[in-house]
């Protein structure tokens, strides 16, 4: 068993290496390729899931949450201004209100209130690389994406804590997890504020944790220590470990932003191994026989993708119509926030683990994530270049 698991990791490592080459050839997002490769290789028996792989994949997912936390720049939020926050509140208020109406009207499972508005920065960052930072719709998409990712993290935590409570539990047991969650967040916020004051008063203390010139990789050691310690604390408090991983990333980004090399190293480690492994693992959980023999799974996934786009388009129109002054930019903005590949897959995996959704719904959600990443990327390109001959020449 031990040898077979090592062989499985060897095959996964090979898939991780070849995925970028296939991505360049097909012009598909690399995460989509990794999911497809994982599904195909597992389907044909080249490797099998195991408890060890499940554990490593879970750690990989938590590492992804660490990287998500590192995207949060708390100092940048204070400079956005009241006008932006009013529009953002209107946008998210409309978005979640529509989702709630859809869930109630169509009698969907409550987890869909967290699924339909979920957001992720991954594809938005990819769009920035393709189109640059000079476009208003993309700059706003990045800012909204950061807030949306935070909201999605909160939704993930609420879903995990909510569904981890058995219906047979007493009311106290059901609320205990949320009480502990509140205690943890309040305590963390207080310690976070105290740390900011201390580091403002004695900025050289940061160098004790992460020296500028260090041959022992103390910055990486400290980051991983913080990562696993906060995960351990949340686990001991019976709070979902996603929060610990995310907060670890936020601490690193807030207090140690002067360590540019460290940020790049952590990203390289994550996107070089852990994140691709997670997506390959997600692909391996798909039952291709079930998907190919039941077209409803595919159509349901595509339907979810278009519903997610429609509610974002409506929310964008209400919140940013006067800001963009054109239907084209509003549509591009809505599309850019409608490719939550990472978090949609993550919340689907969590929902399946807690039996909040069944296997068919899980497959549909993964298909929706892949469809959005492929189809909406192409649609953005078509809309962006339509009537824009200058951009097309560039």
């Amino acid at each position: 068993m031990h040898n077979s698991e090592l062989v499985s990791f060897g095959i996964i490592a090979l898939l991780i290496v070849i995925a970028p080459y296939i991505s360049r050839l097909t012009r598909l997002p690399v995460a989509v390729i990794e999911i497809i490769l994982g599904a195909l290789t597992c389907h044909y028996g080249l490797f099998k899931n195991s408890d060890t792989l499940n554990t490593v994949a879970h750690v990989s997912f938590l590492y992804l949450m660490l990287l998500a936390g590192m995207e949060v720049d708390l100092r940048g939020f204070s400079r956005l201004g009241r006008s932006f926050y009013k529009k953002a509140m209107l946008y998210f208020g409309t978005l979640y209100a529509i989702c709630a109406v859809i869930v109630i009207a169509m009698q969907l499972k409550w987890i869909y209130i967290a699924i339909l508005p979920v957001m992720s920065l991954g594809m938005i960052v990819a769009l920035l690389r393709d189109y640059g930072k000079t476009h208003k719709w993309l700059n706003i998409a990045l800012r909204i994406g950061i807030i949306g990712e935070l909201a999605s993290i909160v939704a993930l935590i609420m879903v995990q804590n909510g569904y981890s409570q058995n219906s047979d539990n007493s009311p106290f047991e059901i609320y205990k997890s949320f009480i502990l969650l509140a205690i943890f967040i309040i305590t963390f916020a207080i310690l976070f504020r105290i740390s900011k004051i201390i580091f403002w008063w004695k900025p050289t203390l940061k160098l004790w944790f992460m020296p500028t010139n260090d041959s022992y990789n103390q910055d990486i050691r400290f980051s991983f220590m913080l990562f696993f310690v906060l995960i351990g604390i949340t686990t001991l408090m019976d709070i979902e470990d996603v929060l610990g991983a995310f907060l670890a990333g936020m601490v690193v980004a807030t207090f140690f932003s002067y360590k540019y090399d460290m940020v790049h190293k952590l990203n390289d480690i994550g996107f070089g191994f852990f994140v691709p492994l997670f997506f390959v693992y997600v692909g391996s959980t798909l039952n291709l026989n079930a998907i190919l023999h039941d077209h409803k799974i595919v159509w349901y996934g595509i339907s979810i993708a278009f519903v997610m786009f429609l509610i974002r388009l409506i929310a964008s129109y209400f919140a940013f119509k006067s800001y963009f002054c054109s239907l084209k930019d509003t549509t591009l903005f809505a599309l850019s926030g409608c490719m939550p590949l990472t978090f949609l897959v993550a919340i689907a995996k969590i929902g399946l683990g807690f039996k909040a959704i069944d296997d068919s719904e899980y497959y549909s959600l993964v298909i929706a994530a892949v469809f959005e990443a492929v189809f909406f990327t192409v649609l953005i390109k078509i809309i962006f270049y339509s009537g824009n001959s200058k951009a097309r020449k560039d």
Side-chain angles (χ1 to χ4, degrees):
M1 179 65 70
H2 180 68
N3 290 335
S4 64
E5 288 179 347
L6 289 177
V7 171
S8 295
F9 278 106
I11 293 171
I12 291 172
L14 180 62
L15 298 178
I16 290 172
V17 170
I18 66 175
Y21 295 104
I22 300 175
S23 175
R24 292 190 191 100
L25 288 173
T26 59
R27 295 187 177 274
L28 293 175
V30 67
V32 172
I33 299 298
E34 287 157 358
I35 291 173
I36 293 172
L37 289 176
L40 291 174
T41 51
C42 191
H43 176 72
Y44 289 108
L46 295 180
F47 77 90
K48 294 182 179 179
N49 283 328
S50 63
D51 292 338
T52 304
L53 178 57
N54 292 343
T55 302
V56 175
H58 184 64
V59 173
S60 299
F61 168 64
L62 293 177
Y63 195 90
L64 182 62
M65 295 300 102
L66 171 78
L67 298 179
M70 289 173 58
E71 295 288 342
V72 178
D73 182 7
L74 295 179
R75 289 166 296 186
F77 277 103
S78 62
R79 297 192 293 265
L80 293 178
R82 290 185 179 180
S83 176
F84 171 78
Y85 282 113
K86 287 180 180 178
K87 287 182 172 62
M89 288 178 64
L90 178 60
Y91 175 80
F92 285 107
T94 305
L95 189 65
Y96 278 88
I98 295 173
C99 291
V101 170
I102 291 174
V103 168
I104 294 171
M106 300 186 68
Q107 297 182 340
L108 299 175
K109 296 171 182 175
W110 286 107
I111 191 175
Y112 280 91
I113 294 181
I115 289 174
L116 294 177
V118 70
M119 286 189 178
S120 178
L121 281 174
M123 295 302 294
I124 296 176
V125 172
L127 290 174
L128 283 169
R129 287 198 297 266
D130 292 338
Y131 298 97
K133 299 181 179 180
T134 59
H135 304 289
K136 188 184 293 186
W137 61 271
L138 198 47
N139 283 322
I140 296 299
L142 178 63
R143 295 174 180 178
I144 289 294
I146 293 172
I147 300 174
E149 191 167 75
L150 283 171
S152 298
I153 288 287
V154 173
L156 277 172
I157 295 164
M158 298 299 287
V159 166
Q160 284 185 304
N161 280 280
Y163 279 98
S164 63
Q165 306 302 318
N166 295 323
S167 58
D168 297 332
N169 289 346
S170 65
F172 174 76
E173 288 295 326
I174 293 175
Y175 291 111
K176 176 185 173 183
S177 181
F178 291 101
I179 293 171
L180 289 173
L181 175 63
I183 292 172
F184 176 80
I185 291 175
I186 292 170
T187 304
F188 179 85
I190 293 171
L191 293 175
F192 189 87
R193 184 62 180 172
I194 292 172
S195 299
K196 286 188 72 174
I197 295 171
I198 292 174
F199 286 140
W200 171 80
W201 180 53
K202 285 283 187 180
T204 53
L205 284 176
K206 294 181 183 180
L207 301 178
W208 189 84
F209 296 102
M210 292 190 186
T212 51
N213 297 316
D214 177 41
S215 59
Y216 297 104
N217 291 312
Q218 189 67 17
D219 50 358
I220 301 297
R221 297 183 187 214
F222 180 80
S223 299
F224 273 96
M225 179 276 295
L226 194 65
F227 173 63
F228 283 108
V229 165
L230 285 178
I231 288 173
I233 292 173
T234 51
T235 302
L236 289 173
M237 293 183 68
D238 201 23
I239 302 170
E240 291 307 321
D241 43 20
V242 171
L243 180 61
F246 181 80
L247 291 178
M250 198 174 72
V251 169
V252 169
T254 302
F255 294 123
F256 306 103
S257 57
Y258 63 91
K259 295 287 292 184
Y260 301 109
D261 292 342
M262 174 203 64
V263 174
H264 290 304
K265 283 189 281 188
L266 289 174
N267 273 284
D268 289 344
I269 293 170
F271 290 104
F273 179 74
F274 286 112
V275 177
L277 184 143
F278 172 69
F279 283 120
V280 171
Y281 168 76
V282 167
S284 71
T285 62
L286 297 178
N287 187 335
L288 291 185
N289 287 326
I291 294 172
L292 294 174
H293 287 87
D294 189 354
H295 298 298
K296 291 181 181 179
I297 293 175
V298 177
W299 286 115
Y300 187 61
I302 295 174
S303 300
I304 290 173
F306 278 108
V307 168
M308 291 175 70
F309 166 63
L310 184 61
I311 60 177
R312 281 163 175 76
L313 184 62
I314 295 172
S316 301
Y317 182 81
F318 272 104
F320 293 101
K321 179 184 68 171
S322 60
Y323 185 82
F324 291 125
C325 300
S326 75
L327 181 60
K328 177 180 177 179
D329 283 357
T330 305
T331 304
L332 287 170
F333 169 75
L335 283 169
S336 62
C338 194
M339 295 180 289
L341 176 62
T342 305
F343 275 24
L344 183 54
V345 169
I347 202 168
K349 194 76 183 73
I350 290 170
L352 181 66
F354 287 111
K355 294 182 171 53
I357 56 175
D358 57 31
D359 289 339
S360 296
E361 288 175 295
Y362 170 72
Y363 301 149
S364 294
L365 288 171
V366 175
I367 289 170
V370 172
F371 178 82
E372 289 170 348
V374 176
F375 182 76
F376 289 161
T377 300
V378 174
L379 191 57
I380 285 174
K381 185 172 290 188
I382 293 171
I383 295 173
F384 178 77
Y385 287 113
S386 63
N388 193 349
S389 57
K390 182 179 178 181
R392 196 181 298 112
K393 289 178 182 178
D394 294 339

